[in-house]
Amino acid sequence: MTTPAVAEQAPRLPWHRQFAPRCAAGAARLLVQLPPARLHRVLGVLSKGSRPAGYAEVARARRAVVSVSTRCAGLGCLQRSVATALLCRTRGRWADWCTGFRTQPFGAHAWVEVGGRPVDEPGELSAFRTVLAVRRPSERARSSGDSPGASGENPGAPGENPGASGRSPGRIDGSR
């Protein structure tokens, strides 16, 4: 994933408010070891039954995760994004989780967004092409039993159906 020049700074949380962000960061540390397709499935299962998170709520969750984890504050954009989504989920909400790449110069990145807007991400993400995304299931898709993308809306959208090509993606670092 892309490397920031300087670790993010966030105000230190009082000790009694650090438990949930620390648990989310720890769980994310384990989840990011999974192959991308499995991580996508796990996050998809976790997103079910959630309500949409607001921008301010996701920004608070992201700051909390950054304040308790050195890895999430610096080089760990994948862990940071997963931990932020997990922390939102503990509150019954879901922030859309995305990962993607750019070609010039090559870089990979993971982030969370609300309504298509990246939350507190430094730099411009418009050059990144989303490869995997776990978005909150829409009410219409949930009521009809369809999965996102299966009803013909936005067919072939990146990240909506990782197995559509007939082969599963390898690990994010490029290995299989």
Side-chain angles (χ1 to χ4, degrees), residues 47-123:
S47 72
K48 292 187 187 313
S50 62
R51 296 182 311 264
Y55 188 92
E57 182 178 8
V58 177
R60 274 192 308 273
R62 188 179 186 283
R63 279 192 304 273
V65 165
V66 166
S67 75
V68 300
S69 170
T70 311
R71 180 178 295 268
C72 291
L75 303 175
C77 64
L78 182 60
Q79 183 178 343
R80 177 177 55 242
S81 63
V82 171
T84 301
L86 292 176
L87 187 55
C88 288
R89 187 60 182 108
T90 64
R91 298 170 181 149
R93 308 287 183 163
W94 187 256
D96 296 340
W97 175 81
C98 304
T99 185
F101 70 94
R102 68 172 181 228
T103 56
Q104 295 297 324
F106 180 80
H109 191 53
W111 64 95
V112 290
E113 55 185 42
V114 173
R117 181 176 159 209
V119 177
D120 290 351
E121 284 297 323

Side-chain angles (χ1 to χ4, degrees), residues 10-35:
R12 187 156 177 86
L13 291 175
W15 65 271
H16 64 279
R17 296 190 61 214
Q18 292 182 13
F19 183 72
R22 284 188 187 275
C23 289
R29 176 86 169 139
L30 297 174
L31 287 174
V32 300
Q33 302 301 313
L34 296 174

